[in-house]
């Protein structure tokens, strides 16, 4: 009998499993080996400190972000008093899984099939990768951390099958030396409808490699062609391709994360990826942590209603940020004219400073009310067309 079975071993599931094991719970983690999620790999200093990530997992520390508009205007934003860390998901996720295992979690490799209930017991049934056998793990509670198209959420949580998402695709390439178009210390974010009609493209350095990709929710877009065009525009078309990956990225937290009986969701399964930026690793790990907190509370108190703590704790800290980013995406990602205006707005020094202070610390900065007021006025001027998008 396990106290908790965690389905999924990405950053969210591995964090939940580790936290539960360290708190004295008997926990199992089921993960599909060999799957690497397409991801730019950006992590803020707040994640590194909160989750005790060793420096050898940070493959690059980025000090500049370049915003590129549909007319190819470039705005370089220096990252002052900090950096954007980069991780390689192939190695980072496995590091987290091994750390959970070292903390005491039992690790299984296989594919989740279903939850079985009867005679007062609950079992998580999965197909073991090595043997092909169906194995059932008896448990008190379940954490579903199995991604944006979560089988656990669809089968067990009301509304879990209605999560909105974009499809992300990227190619990991062998990084070139510094060139006119590529800098190993700079992230490029491309806001161009020719690359993505409703999201963005990216070139993110990973030390000896780089992630080049894009995302979209628009059906019929050829993601591989768009990425090929992005590589060409970035002078990276001749670089060796190491691997290619695609997967959905959710855009909105679900209204409900638990089934009122024995399951709580975490990470992409709960929809906790930031709108506008698509940032997910930090929020996934926070989601895993609050799911573990809620599960521990329910096991201690005997109140299943305590599973609702996961969503309450997460939204208490991050609801406002998600709301602001969602509004920004709705306002600026709908056309190339709006994207041009957004990049123009990024010239503002206050926008630059407040954006990266919020990114690194994971909270909105309230210390400079006049800066917020000035940004609000400029934002309104751009959205109403009072200011030309071509002004710097």
């Amino acid at each position: 009998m396990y106290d908790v079975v965690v389905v999924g071993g990405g950053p969210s599931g591995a964090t939940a499993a580790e936290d539960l094991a360290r708190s004295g719970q008997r926990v199992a983690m089921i993960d599909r080996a060999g799957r690497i999620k397409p991801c730019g790999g950006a992590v803020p200093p707040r994640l590194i400190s909160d989750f005790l990530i060793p420096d050898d997992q940070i493959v690059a520390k980025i000090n500049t972000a370049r915003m590129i508009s549909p007319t190819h205007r470039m705005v370089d934003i220096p990252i002052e008093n900090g950096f954007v860390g980069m991780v390689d998901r192939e190695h980072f996720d496995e590091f987290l899984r091994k750390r959970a295992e070292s903390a005491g979690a039992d690790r299984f490799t296989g594919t989740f099939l279903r939850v079985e209930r009867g005679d007062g017991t609950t079992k998580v049934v999965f197909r073991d990768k090595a043997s092909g056998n169906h194995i059932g793990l008896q448990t008190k509670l379940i954490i579903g951390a199995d991604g944006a198209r979560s089988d656990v959420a669809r089968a067990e949580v009301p509304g879990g099958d209605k999560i909105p998402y974009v499809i992300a695709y990227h190619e990991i390439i062998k990084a070139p030396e510094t060139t006119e178009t590529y800098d190993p210390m700079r992230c490029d974010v491309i806001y161009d409808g020719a690359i993505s009609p409703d999201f963005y493209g990216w070139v993110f350095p990973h030390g000896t490699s780089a992630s080049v990709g894009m995302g979209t929710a628009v059906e019929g877009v050829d993601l591989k062609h768009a990425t090929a065009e992005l590589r060409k525009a970035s002078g990276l078309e001749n670089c060796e391709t190491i691997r290619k990956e695609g997967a959905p990225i959710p855009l909105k937290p679900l209204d409900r994360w638990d089934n009122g009986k024995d399951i709580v969701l975490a990470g992409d399964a709960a929809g906790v990826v930031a709108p506008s930026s698509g940032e997910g690793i930090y929020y996934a790990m926070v989601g895993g942590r609050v799911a573990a907190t809620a599960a521990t509370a329910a096991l201690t108190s005997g109140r299943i209603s305590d599973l609702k703590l996961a969503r309450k704790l997460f939204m208490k800290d991050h609801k406002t940020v998600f709301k602001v980013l969602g509004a920004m995406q709705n306002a600026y990602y709908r056309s190339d004219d709006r994207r041009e205006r957004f990049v123009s707005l990024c010239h503002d020094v206050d926008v630059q400073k407040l954006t990266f202070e919020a990114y690194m610390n994971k909270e909105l900065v309230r210390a400079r009310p006049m800066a917020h007021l000035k940004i609000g006025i400029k934002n309104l001027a751009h959205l109403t067309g009072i200011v030309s998008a071509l002004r710097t």
Side-chain angles (χ1 to χ4, degrees):
M1 167 67 77
Y2 286 101
D3 294 310
V4 184
V5 170
V6 180
V7 180
S12 184
T15 298
E18 181 189 358
D19 281 7
L20 287 163
R22 293 194 187 281
S23 69
Q25 309 299 337
R26 187 171 184 212
V27 57
M29 176 177 63
I30 305 168
D31 185 62
R32 292 187 300 170
R35 179 182 179 274
I36 308 170
K37 180 183 174 182
C39 176
V43 297
R46 174 76 181 270
L47 179 150
I48 296 169
S49 60
D50 283 2
F51 296 96
L52 305 177
I53 304 303
D55 198 58
D56 61 9
Q57 286 297 316
I58 308 302
V59 296
K61 293 183 178 180
I62 302 304
N63 57 28
T64 304
R66 171 171 287 181
M67 309 298 178
I68 303 175
S69 78
T71 61
H72 306 294
R73 177 181 20 191
M74 301 175 186
V75 178
D76 285 357
I77 303 177
I79 303 169
E80 299 178 354
N81 304 315
F83 60 90
V84 176
M86 288 290 162
V87 298
D88 186 330
R89 292 292 297 272
E90 179 181 11
H91 305 293
F92 182 69
D93 289 18
E94 182 61 14
F95 161 79
L96 295 176
R97 287 190 286 266
K98 286 183 176 178
R99 191 164 71 172
E101 192 174 13
S102 297
D106 290 346
R107 181 176 173 183
F108 297 88
T109 302
T111 303
F112 168 80
L113 296 175
R114 62 188 176 275
V115 176
E116 291 183 353
R117 299 181 181 87
D119 299 325
T121 65
T122 300
K123 286 184 180 180
V124 175
V125 181
F126 70 98
R127 181 185 298 108
D128 181 68
K129 183 176 181 179
S131 67
N133 294 333
H134 290 194
I135 297 175
L137 302 179
Q138 191 171 335
T139 186
K140 298 173 185 176
L141 297 175
I142 301 163
I143 292 178
D146 53 333
R149 287 175 175 161
S150 165
D151 290 329
V152 175
R154 285 205 305 268
E156 299 288 338
V157 177
D161 59 342
K162 296 180 173 62
I163 188 166
Y165 54 81
V166 300
I167 299 297
Y169 173 81
H170 80 160
E171 297 177 0
I172 297 292
I173 63 171
K174 185 175 181 180
E177 300 294 332
T178 302
T179 67
E180 290 184 5
T181 55
Y182 178 83
D183 184 340
M185 299 295 291
R186 186 188 71 225
C187 286
D188 291 356
V189 186
I190 299 89
Y191 298 98
D192 186 348
I195 300 299
S196 171
D198 60 332
F199 206 53
Y200 64 83
W202 67 82
V203 177
F204 284 1
H206 287 179
T208 58
S209 64
S211 166
V212 185
M214 50 80 67
T216 182
V218 177
E219 293 186 9
V221 174
D222 189 331
L223 283 76
K224 292 183 178 181
H225 175 74
T227 301
E229 291 299 306
L230 177 55
R231 287 182 61 168
K232 187 184 300 182
S234 304
L236 303 171
E237 70 269 31
N238 295 323
C239 293
E240 177 187 345
T241 301
I242 299 171
R243 64 178 191 265
K244 304 176 181 181
E245 296 143 359
I249 296 178
L251 291 178
K252 184 178 183 294
L254 290 174
D255 293 332
R256 183 171 178 175
W257 293 9
D258 71 287
N259 67 346
K261 293 184 293 187
D262 50 17
I263 291 175
V264 63
L265 303 177
D268 282 11
V272 293
V273 172
S276 177
S277 68
E279 182 191 356
I281 300 176
Y282 171 77
Y283 296 110
M285 295 179 74
V286 171
R289 178 151 288 174
V290 296
T293 300
T296 299
L299 290 166
T300 302
S301 69
R303 296 189 300 264
I304 291 301
S305 61
D306 282 348
L307 292 180
K308 296 185 183 298
L309 282 172
R311 191 179 191 280
K312 289 179 181 178
L313 290 170
F314 185 93
M315 298 307 283
K316 177 179 180 291
D317 288 340
H318 304 292
K319 180 180 180 180
T320 301
V321 171
F322 274 50
K323 187 175 181 179
V324 169
L325 291 176
M328 188 174 76
Q329 180 172 335
N330 290 334
Y332 284 112
Y333 286 18
R334 60 177 61 178
S335 70
D336 272 354
D337 178 69
R338 290 289 182 92
R339 283 183 276 268
E340 194 72 44
R341 293 179 182 279
F342 174 68
V343 174
S344 178
L345 187 64
C346 289
H347 277 284
D348 188 277
V349 174
D350 285 314
V351 170
Q352 296 177 9
K353 289 184 176 180
L354 290 177
T355 295
F356 278 101
E357 285 176 18
Y359 170 80
M360 289 186 291
N361 299 311
K362 286 297 165 251
E363 57 186 19
L364 295 178
V365 181
R366 307 180 189 279
R368 298 201 298 272
M370 290 308 296
H372 282 283
L373 178 61
K374 187 175 88 171
I375 290 169
I377 293 172
K378 285 192 173 186
N379 189 43
L380 184 63
H382 276 280
L383 289 174
T384 56
I386 295 174
V387 175
S388 169
L390 299 180
R391 287 181 58 186
T392 59

